[in-house]
Amino acid sequence: MHPYKILLVEDDAEISEMLKTYLETENYEVACALDGQQACSVFDDMSCDLVLLDLMIPKISGMGVMQHIRQSSYVPIIIISAKDSESDKTLGLGLGADDYITKPFSVVEVLARIKAALRRTMQYDSAAACADKEALSVLTAGELTMNLSDYTVKKGEKSIDLTAKEFEILKLFMQNPKKVYTKEQLYSLVWNDAYCGDENAVNVHISRLRNKIEEDPRNPAYVLTVWGIGYKLGGSV
């Protein structure tokens, strides 16, 4: 795993160097900025995982830097400031900071806050990735819902039992709702075999699938016949 990259924005060169040295011994990569203008420029040029930000910096204030960052990124921001009033903390956190440390501080506390912020970010990213994955595993068409994780199909609240071939045919249609499939294509993709001109297997499975998912199999809404070509998912479902 690559080391986390931290942007340290601090106009006191002594504090900046002290923090940089300490964080590098903890295997973080640290880029330093001594004023707000430099901080915005460095942030725009690098991909950082966390920002340590002093509020009382020249050229562009710490609040201005934070507003610049929040225009394009949700990277964790930890404010480090001599301003310790409740109003300053409330303003900083309200503008998008994730944490607030007042000076003087201990480097041990700073490190603990950094680790906590990065841990929260990892947990959020992991949860978001799981949610995305779960969303991708569920297909919908009208009242039909197909879950690719547990191979279940529902129409509304009613479960529908499909055979493996019926499931694969329906999945093909639901994953490609605008595509028309010939019988030859269906046979090749679902049976994973060369089509020998025998339409019966495809016809039988389409008929059985319609009987299970359609209100009126003779007037289907989900699996439509495209005369002279093949089948497709109903456009009105």
Side-chain angles (χ1 to χ4, degrees):
M1 180 178 178
H2 295 293
Y4 287 110
K5 296 179 182 179
I6 295 175
L7 172 58
L8 171 59
V9 187
E10 170 61 66
D11 67 328
D12 187 315
E14 186 176 338
I15 294 177
S16 179
E17 185 59 31
M18 179 266 294
L19 274 174
K20 182 177 187 294
T21 300
Y22 180 77
L23 292 174
E24 286 178 341
T25 63
E26 296 292 329
N27 296 318
Y28 293 101
E29 287 186 12
V30 182
C32 297
L34 298 175
D35 59 61
Q37 185 175 324
Q38 185 184 18
C40 292
S41 178
V42 173
F43 179 82
D44 290 341
D45 290 339
M46 72 178 290
S47 175
C48 66
D49 300 297
L50 182 139
V51 178
L52 288 174
L53 177 63
D54 186 10
L55 293 182
M56 300 174 67
I57 51 177
K59 297 189 178 180
I60 299 175
S61 70
M63 292 297 185
V65 172
M66 185 158 55
Q67 289 177 314
H68 175 81
I69 291 172
R70 283 293 176 252
Q71 289 177 357
S72 61
S73 174
Y74 290 102
V75 64
I77 299 174
I78 300 177
I79 291 175
I80 299 179
S81 177
K83 294 184 175 183
D84 61 355
S85 69
E86 288 300 316
S87 60
D88 287 317
K89 292 180 180 179
T90 300
L91 179 59
L93 294 171
L95 286 175
D98 296 87
D99 205 347
Y100 198 110
I101 302 174
T102 56
K103 296 179 180 179
F105 56 81
S106 73
V107 290
V108 174
E109 179 187 8
V110 173
L111 180 61
R113 301 289 187 93
I114 289 172
K115 288 181 176 180
L118 291 173
R119 184 167 57 249
R120 286 194 297 270
T121 301
M122 288 180 63
Q123 290 170 343
Y124 174 82
D125 290 345
S126 177
C130 288
D132 289 342
K133 184 176 180 181
E134 183 176 344
L136 289 172
S137 70
V138 177
L139 305 175
T140 59
E143 290 186 280
L144 287 178
T145 302
M146 172 178 282
N147 192 315
L148 302 181
S149 297
D150 58 13
Y151 294 92
T152 57
V153 176
K154 287 186 175 182
K155 187 174 183 181
E157 295 299 317
K158 179 184 177 183
S159 295
I160 298 176
D161 293 326
L162 299 181
T163 66
K165 290 292 189 292
E166 292 164 357
F167 185 93
E168 290 301 318
I169 291 172
L170 183 59
K171 181 176 77 170
L172 199 60
F173 289 138
M174 293 179 71
Q175 286 180 327
N176 304 277
K178 296 181 180 181
K179 186 174 176 61
V180 177
Y181 287 95
T182 66
K183 293 177 182 180
E184 180 179 355
Q185 289 172 325
L186 284 174
Y187 193 89
S188 176
L189 292 168
V190 174
W191 277 261
N192 196 27
D193 197 2
Y195 184 65
C196 299
D198 182 9
E199 298 181 353
N200 189 56
V202 175
N203 291 341
V204 168
H205 282 80
I206 290 291
S207 178
R208 289 175 178 171
L209 178 60
R210 282 174 170 167
N211 286 332
K212 293 180 179 180
I213 67 173
E214 303 285 3
E215 290 295 322
D216 181 2
R218 292 172 297 180
N219 186 30
Y222 290 97
V223 181
L224 304 186
T225 298
V226 181
W227 296 107
I229 302 176
Y231 302 97
K232 72 170 186 176
L233 189 71
S236 61
V237 296

